[in-house]
Amino acid sequence: MKKRVTKAIFPVAGLGTRFLPATKSVPKEIMTLVDRPLIQYAIDEARAAGIKEFIFVTSRGKSALEDYFDHSPELENQLRKKGKTELLETLKSTNMDSGAIAYIRQHKPLGLGHAVWCARRLLANEPFAVILPDDVIAAETPCLQQMVEAYAELGGNMVAAMEVPDNRTNAYGMLDVKEDMGSVVSVKGMVEKPKIGEAPSNLAVIGRYILSPQVMSNLNKLKSGAGGEIQLTDAIAQEIENSENVYGFRFRGQRFDCGSKAGFLQATVAFAMAREDLRDEFTDFLTDMLSVRNAAQ
Ligand code: UTP
């Protein structure tokens, strides 16, 4: 049965080791893409998709993330007094309603599946979204909104999917496609990080999901999967065994892997170039950099 999706889980309890030493004290999700922390992009996307309740699965050392969502009346007063209306509006647009956010602890980083499972008591028998904030997606219609629209037609379970080259299939959950219907594929199997050459297709799962409550029950029963972690992929794949529908959704947009240094830098360039207030100066700078580099070669 299809229901409205109003709750989203944001698993943010990972160690973020690829950004050490920064992540010794700064949660990865607070790191800044131009002038907004990664988590803000995720929240904006969720809001656009109609999400009303935001569940963060956090861990030790993430208090900066919790603080980020506090209102800042002193700062707002200062900006008001100084007539900085635009900044005031920017700040206010990040305010969250009281009670709209919940924080749940994952005491050990036992994997994405385990992180999602930690939120089980905050969900009733209802479908829910999962957003990984380090997958940032630039899109005209935000990715989760595209998925919510497709989900309203199809129901079942839906994962965001994108084509990856053969030599990258070992970095993702990969889809075994039953039927390719264009923007949506139906899925007959999923495998987490298969060896190169063993992936059932080139369609990789990335960090947006709409899942049925049954997936949470599957997580209850799961033992450790690939890499000793409790894999969300395995709990979704079980739904296929239960003869439930799982769909891959080819979203329209560009995804950046901001969990990696190269991806974060690429996103920084792309988002800066998309900003009217930065575009010209930044393009000039990049052009100069490239010509210096080319001249040196
Ligand atoms: P990653 O695989 O990127 O792991 O997790 P990580 O710990 O954040 O980063 P690295 O690999 O050490 O650099 C993908 C998402 O799942 C969350 C992470 O916070 C991130 O949003 N996650 C992962 C958890 O919440 N708990 C876990 O046990 C593992």
Side-chain angles (χ1 to χ4, degrees), residues 39-162:
I39 195 67
Q40 188 65 53
Y41 292 90
I43 291 282
D44 290 348
E45 186 178 329
R47 278 172 156 170
I51 298 297
K52 305 282 181 242
E53 291 180 50
F54 304 80
I55 303 168
F56 291 90
V57 183
T58 67
S59 58
R60 265 178 62 214
K62 300 275 176 169
S63 47
L65 185 72
E66 301 189 15
D67 290 346
Y68 176 75
F69 288 110
D70 271 340
H71 291 200
S72 31
E74 302 86 358
L75 192 53
E76 285 181 18
N77 275 339
Q78 284 297 328
L79 293 174
R80 200 171 292 113
K81 267 192 210 151
K82 291 186 174 153
K84 299 197 168 173
T85 329
E86 214 173 301
L87 274 181
L88 186 61
E89 287 313 309
T90 305
L91 197 60
K92 278 186 173 170
S93 71
T94 65
N95 285 350
M96 305 289 282
D97 293 340
S98 293
I101 305 184
Y103 301 101
I104 284 280
R105 290 265 165 166
Q106 184 191 29
H107 291 113
K108 272 190 190 166
L110 294 177
L112 176 59
H114 182 263
V116 169
W117 176 78
C118 288
R120 66 199 176 282
R121 293 204 177 86
L122 295 179
L123 296 170
N125 191 25
E126 60 197 325
F128 58 97
V130 177
I131 297 189
L132 305 190
D134 38 10
D135 274 337
V136 175
I137 301 170
E140 211 162 291
T141 304
C143 179
L144 191 68
Q145 188 182 338
Q146 296 176 33
M147 289 174 71
V148 161
E149 284 164 12
Y151 176 81
E153 300 283 319
L154 294 165
N157 295 274
M158 192 170 276
V159 299
M162 68 174 205

Side-chain angles (χ1 to χ4, degrees), residues 268-285:
T268 302
V269 172
F271 278 73
M273 301 275 283
R275 283 269 296 253
E276 237 172 74
D277 56 334
L278 294 169
R279 186 180 297 141
D280 292 345
E281 189 181 342
F282 197 54
T283 310
D284 287 349
F285 169 75

Side-chain angles (χ1 to χ4, degrees), residues 243-260:
S243 307
E244 297 295 335
N245 289 326
V246 175
Y247 300 103
F249 180 78
R250 286 194 181 96
F251 58 94
R252 302 173 300 281
Q254 189 177 7
R255 173 258 189 181
F256 297 94
D257 175 11
C258 290
S260 77

Side-chain angles (χ1 to χ4, degrees), residues 20-34:
L20 281 171
T23 42
K24 260 170 80 182
S25 67
V26 182
K28 179 171 63 172
E29 301 73 22
I30 286 290
M31 292 190 344
T32 311
L33 210 48
V34 185

